[in-house]
Amino acid sequence: MESRLPKPKIMIEARSITDISVKNNSHKVTKSNNISTATSMVTSTISSTLTSTSVGSASMKSVTENKLPVKQALVRAKTLSTITRSDNVQKAVKRTATNVAHGEAKKPFVKPVTKALMNKPINNALMTNNTVKKVNKIIQNDKDNKAGKLNRWDMRGRLAQANEKLSTVQQKNKDTESKCNMLQELVDTLKASETACKAKAENFQVLNNTLTNELQTLTVEMFTIRKNEEDLIKQLKESKELCTNLSCTLNEFQEKCKSQEVLNLEQTKQLTVLKSDLELQEKLIKDLNIVKEELQALTHKMDKERRVLHNTIQELKGNIRVFCRVRPRTPKEIEQTKVLCNINFIDDCTIEVGKSDGSDAISCSRKLRGIKQEFSFDKVFTPNASQADVFEELSLLVQSALEGYNVCVFAYGQTGSGKTYTMEGECGLQTEGMISRTVRHIFKEMKQFELLGWEYQIEASFLEIYNEHIVDLLDSESKIHEIRMVDNKSQDLYVSNLRVEEIHSPAELHECLQIAQRNRAVAATQSNERSSRSHSVTRIRLIGTHTIKQEISIGNLNLVDLAGSERLKTEEAVRTTETKNINKSLANLGNVILALLKKQEHIPYRNSKLTHLLMPSLGGNSKTLMLLNISPLDECYNETLNSLRFASNVNNCKTEKVKRSRMIL
Ligand SMILES: Nc1ncnc2c1ncn2[C@@H]1O[C@H](COP(=O)(O)OP(=O)(O)OP(=O)(O)O)[C@@H](O)[C@H]1O
């Protein structure tokens, strides 16, 4: 039973229970052997037991309730043990006998528990055997005593005495049994409480485990907290250092602030002065704006007047103007010591030509002509004239295109006379041709026009007329291109299926020009190794918009590099058709010009693609410039003469008063 008890506290209580059990057992043994013999012993034992039971009961109750202190329980347990001691039993028996003698035999005797007895040691094992022996001895003595008092013959008395004792014992036995039952119940209760205690103990164990786990967790947490604490202390230390540094910096800043405040005060003073200055300036700006507006109005008025004057000058110069340019000998020609024909530049506008040997001065009838042939043009350029010199004269026409006029510049001359050089030029700024210069000039002039409120959109297209077919030089795909009228009202023409590029910079146009040059049909001729056998046309459309004035101006600029104007020669059999077409278109150009000169009703523009395309530039709302190119070589003299005669005819051609293509939006 002891082994099943889990806790020392409970063991202390159980010790009392053990004592009780032992007494019960001994009581049962005595009863089974000899009830009468054990009567006295049982009387005293049960008396003692009752006393101890009441104590034990209280103790057990306390155990159950877990209220009795351990010390008290121990004392009571000792008391129980002490009661069963043999000495005490003997004394109790003696006293019982004495009391019986004095007529108190009916009352059971219970010896009170003394302090001395309580202090004596307990020996339960010995107690059982010794007690039995001593009880027997007491009973014997008692018998002897009684026997001594009652006569042997007094059987009735002895019987009555025995019956009395028996009834007493039986009564006590009953009491004892009921007490035993009570004790049994008590034992059951205690067992139940033990089970409850065990359950509690198990709960406590679980709780203990939980608490142990919690303790471990808390320990870990504590370590973490300690570590954090250390870190925080470290951080605090660092923060303190930082604080110290910051306070130093703050001090510095405060000092700086002070100096800044001083500076600020000075600047505030300056600001006040500047504000008053600003007010004055604003007033001045207002005044200046008024002046500016007045000046703008004046500029606009003057611009209008300038345009009128410019146009008047152009008209005075002629709407079809002819420049003559004589090219220098090429390095190759110098090397070959090619003979130059006789050319005299009489003035800026007059040129005199003749054969180098003077043979042209004699006519077919062998009569002396007497003088060289003289031709007058709007301008004559010597071989020393640069590209810039030529463009200076041409730029006025470009200006007209920006103002909304149709302008046509075409280079005319025999193969190798310098047409392509004049129009397209060569690499480098010095040798840059008229097309590139025109574009740069347009962009430069545009800025001036923008100041006057004009915004421009530039479109460019490149085409060539080869064998009476139009070819798009920006599109390598072959398509059918037709010359068509824009509408019935205007004389404007356009070419169908032609690629038109919007140009935003001179570089963009230069790129287009390079593509066009690559695509251009070039064939080698006897006169010039890169001679062109087609008419090349660069069309630049300038669309200007003035949002304030609600005006739009459209100017078309045609820059044409014509094919060689030389006459058909027998040795050029391979190129017969090609040359025939070239000559046809150029001859038709002459016819158109003659018809214009004679003011004929019908002008044969449509006889060739070239005249058809140039129609608006020749007789319509246009300003035309023919750049006649001449070779200085004696061997080219005849073609030079032909070209000079043709150009002279053009120069004499008069057109109607030119109108600007400008409309109100
Ligand atoms: N003003 C000039 N200054 C220097 N060299 C020139 C000048 N004009 C023409 N040349 C040179 O003369 C040669 C022929 O010129 P270019 O090719 O322009 O003739 P072209 O009339 O266009 O011939 P084609 O009709 O065959 O195209 C070229 O080598 C060119 O460099």
Side-chain angles (χ1 to χ4, degrees):
M1 192 171 180
E2 234 177 42
S3 63
R4 280 192 283 153
L5 296 172
K7 297 282 174 186
K9 189 181 172 185
I10 297 166
M11 277 174 76
I12 293 160
E13 304 298 335
R15 191 173 168 181
S16 307
I17 298 161
T18 314
D19 292 345
I20 294 162
S21 303
V22 168
K23 284 176 183 67
N24 284 337
N25 289 338
S26 63
H27 162 72
K28 280 172 187 174
V29 168
T30 313
K31 193 182 173 187
S32 61
N33 290 337
N34 189 351
I35 292 168
S36 59
T37 316
T39 304
S40 304
M41 183 210 58
V42 168
T43 307
S44 60
T45 305
I46 285 172
S47 302
S48 306
T49 307
L50 281 173
T51 316
S52 64
T53 302
S54 62
V55 177
S57 176
S59 172
M60 288 307 155
K61 197 178 179 185
S62 300
V63 169
T64 314
E65 292 171 358
N66 278 336
K67 281 177 184 174
L68 189 72
V70 176
K71 222 173 185 179
Q72 197 183 343
L74 269 168
V75 169
R76 290 189 181 181
K78 279 175 186 176
T79 310
L80 280 168
S81 305
T82 313
I83 289 166
T84 54
R85 285 178 67 90
S86 58
D87 294 346
N88 294 339
V89 174
Q90 274 182 337
K91 283 175 186 175
V93 171
K94 278 176 186 174
R95 278 204 61 182
T96 305
T98 315
N99 289 342
V100 169
H102 290 284
E104 295 172 5
K106 285 180 183 176
K107 291 178 185 175
F109 176 74
V110 178
K111 182 161 170 65
V113 178
T114 60
K115 277 185 182 177
L117 283 172
M118 283 168 71
N119 292 332
K120 284 187 180 174
I122 305 162
N123 194 340
N124 288 335
L126 286 169
M127 182 193 75
T128 314
N129 295 326
N130 291 336
T131 307
V132 172
K133 285 174 185 174
K134 283 173 184 177
V135 167
N136 288 335
K137 202 178 175 182
I138 289 163
I139 291 166
Q140 190 59 45
N141 290 335
D142 192 36
K143 280 177 182 177
D144 293 341
N145 288 338
K146 282 172 184 176
K149 284 183 181 177
L150 292 174
N151 294 318
R152 281 196 172 208
W153 48 269
D154 190 5
M155 290 301 283
R156 277 188 182 172
R158 283 174 63 189
L159 184 66
Q161 201 175 36
N163 283 337
E164 196 180 328
K165 277 182 184 177
L166 182 64
S167 61
T168 309
V169 167
Q170 278 174 343
Q171 186 60 41
K172 281 180 181 176
N173 194 32
K174 273 181 186 175
D175 293 344
T176 306
E177 272 178 359
S178 66
K179 280 172 187 173
C180 267
N181 289 336
M182 278 172 66
L183 282 171
Q184 191 60 45
E185 281 172 15
L186 189 66
V187 167
D188 291 342
T189 312
L190 285 172
K191 275 181 182 175
S193 69
E194 185 195 359
T195 313
C197 284
K198 274 180 186 176
K200 271 190 182 178
E202 277 170 12
N203 287 341
F204 282 132
Q205 189 61 42
V206 172
L207 193 67
N208 190 25
N209 290 340
T210 313
L211 287 170
T212 312
N213 288 339
E214 273 181 22
L215 184 69
Q216 280 174 358
T217 314
L218 286 168
T219 313
V220 172
E221 274 180 20
M222 193 181 76
F223 278 123
T224 316
I225 287 164
R226 271 185 191 161
K227 203 167 177 290
N228 286 345
E229 190 190 355
E230 280 171 11
D231 290 347
L232 283 169
I233 289 164
K234 205 179 167 187
Q235 277 179 16
L236 187 72
K237 203 179 170 186
E238 284 172 4
S239 297
K240 274 179 184 172
E241 280 174 14
L242 196 72
C243 268
T244 318
N245 291 337
L246 281 171
S247 63
C248 286
T249 319
L250 187 71
N251 288 337
E252 283 172 16
F253 272 118
Q254 276 172 346
E255 279 174 19
K256 274 185 186 173
C257 266
K258 278 176 189 171
S259 59
Q260 283 292 329
E261 274 171 12
V262 174
L263 200 72
N264 205 17
L265 273 171
E266 283 174 17
Q267 282 182 347
T268 314
K269 281 177 191 171
Q270 281 180 7
L271 193 71
T272 319
V273 176
L274 283 169
K275 269 183 183 171
S276 60
D277 275 2
L278 187 73
E279 278 171 15
L280 282 171
Q281 292 284 335
E282 277 175 352
K283 205 181 168 191
L284 201 68
I285 286 167
K286 272 183 186 172
D287 294 345
L288 282 170
N289 275 335
I290 294 164
V291 175
K292 189 188 158 191
E293 278 170 18
E294 285 172 3
L295 280 171
Q296 270 180 342
L298 197 68
T299 310
H300 199 69
K301 197 181 161 191
M302 283 173 77
D303 183 57
K304 266 188 175 175
E305 281 173 16
R306 185 191 62 77
R307 284 170 192 229
V308 172
L309 283 170
H310 174 73
N311 201 41
T312 313
I313 293 164
Q314 293 290 314
E315 277 169 12
L316 285 170
K317 282 182 177 178
N319 292 324
I320 293 185
R321 297 168 70 202
V322 182
F323 293 168
C324 178
R325 188 182 194 185
V326 182
R327 74 160 172 87
R329 272 194 300 179
T330 60
K332 195 180 173 185
E333 289 164 351
I334 294 166
E335 204 181 292
Q336 290 169 349
T337 58
K338 297 250 177 167
V339 183
L340 292 171
C341 65
N342 219 333
I343 301 173
N344 285 330
F345 297 96
I346 294 168
D347 58 35
D348 276 0
C349 301
T350 316
I351 186 173
E352 195 184 59
V353 290
K355 286 280 277 181
S356 60
D357 56 359
S359 57
D360 65 317
I362 299 160
S363 67
C364 299
S365 56
R366 293 201 172 267
K367 283 180 184 174
L368 193 68
R369 279 182 177 154
I371 49 162
K372 291 175 189 170
Q373 298 202 47
E374 197 181 277
F375 299 93
S376 285
F377 301 104
D378 291 288
K379 183 85 185 170
V380 174
F381 295 100
T382 66
N384 297 325
S386 67
Q387 299 278 65
D389 293 335
V390 180
F391 187 72
E392 201 181 321
E393 294 295 321
L394 195 139
S395 62
L396 292 169
L397 286 172
V398 178
Q399 184 91 12
S400 294
L402 278 163
E403 287 169 7
Y405 290 98
N406 282 338
V407 176
C408 179
V409 179
F410 58 88
Y412 183 90
Q414 71 172 111
T415 298
S417 60
K419 299 183 298 293
T420 309
Y421 180 88
T422 303
M423 296 307 281
E424 290 179 12
E426 288 175 353
C427 287
L429 272 176
Q430 295 282 324
T431 52
E432 202 178 34
M434 296 306 116
I435 298 170
S436 302
R437 282 169 194 270
T438 298
V439 175
R440 279 206 288 118
H441 186 75
I442 287 168
F443 277 96
K444 192 178 146 198
E445 284 299 304
M446 259 167 53
K447 283 179 184 167
Q448 298 297 321
F449 277 83
E450 274 169 14
L451 290 174
L452 296 168
W454 286 94
E455 275 181 26
Y456 278 89
Q457 186 189 338
I458 303 169
E459 291 173 358
S461 57
F462 297 81
L463 64 91
E464 69 171 359
I465 302 167
Y466 178 71
N467 270 339
E468 284 301 281
H469 289 291
I470 292 173
V471 179
D472 189 348
L473 292 176
L474 290 182
D475 195 355
S476 48
E477 240 180 83
S478 66
K479 287 174 188 167
I480 295 167
H481 303 280
E482 300 286 341
I483 301 165
R484 288 176 186 161
M485 297 282 285
V486 172
D487 52 46
N488 293 329
K489 291 173 193 170
S490 68
Q491 294 261 304
D492 237 5
L493 295 173
Y494 78 96
V495 180
S496 64
N497 296 324
L498 193 71
R499 190 167 159 184
V500 180
E501 289 288 329
E502 199 167 312
I503 306 296
H504 303 96
S505 67
E508 275 183 28
L509 191 111
H510 189 69
E511 210 176 297
C512 291
L513 190 64
Q514 279 186 330
I515 297 167
Q517 280 171 351
R518 275 202 297 272
N519 289 338
R520 195 176 175 193
V522 175
T525 64
Q526 287 177 340
S527 321
N528 188 1
E529 56 191 355
R530 65 176 194 95
S531 176
S532 167
R533 307 302 297 165
S534 63
H535 310 298
S536 159
V537 185
T538 303
R539 291 163 72 87
I540 300 169
R541 195 173 167 82
L542 304 163
I543 306 155
T545 320
H546 199 293
T547 41
I548 300 165
K549 288 203 292 181
Q550 292 279 294
E551 272 185 41
I552 186 163
S553 102
I554 302 166
N556 288 301
L557 186 60
N558 290 296
L559 300 162
V560 190
D561 180 3
L562 292 168
S565 62
E566 62 275 5
R567 303 271 161 84
L568 179 65
K569 289 173 189 170
T570 47
E571 62 267 28
E572 288 177 325
V574 184
R575 299 193 184 278
T576 305
T577 325
E578 195 182 66
T579 316
K580 262 183 187 172
N581 276 327
I582 292 164
N583 286 332
K584 183 190 156 193
S585 63
L586 288 174
N588 200 52
L589 185 65
N591 293 336
V592 166
I593 291 166
L594 280 172
L596 285 165
L597 269 170
K598 290 174 189 170
K599 294 187 179 176
Q600 287 176 352
E601 272 190 27
H602 175 70
I603 313 290
Y605 289 117
R606 289 169 195 265
N607 281 2
S608 73
K609 284 269 170 20
L610 177 70
T611 49
H612 191 186
L613 190 73
L614 294 178
M615 189 173 80
S617 311
L618 290 168
N621 183 24
S622 168
K623 292 180 180 185
T624 308
L625 173 68
M626 176 190 266
L627 272 168
L628 174 66
N629 292 89
I630 284 171
S631 167
L633 299 182
D634 197 50
E635 61 187 44
C636 299
Y637 177 72
N638 287 337
E639 288 299 335
T640 303
L641 214 57
N642 286 332
S643 298
L644 283 166
R645 280 173 187 155
F646 179 81
S648 189
N649 283 340
V650 172
N651 196 37
N652 292 330
C653 185
K654 303 290 173 193
T655 56
E656 291 171 12
K657 195 177 177 185
V658 180
K659 287 175 188 171
R660 275 194 290 179
S661 170
R662 186 167 285 193
M663 58 192 116
I664 306 296
L665 283 170

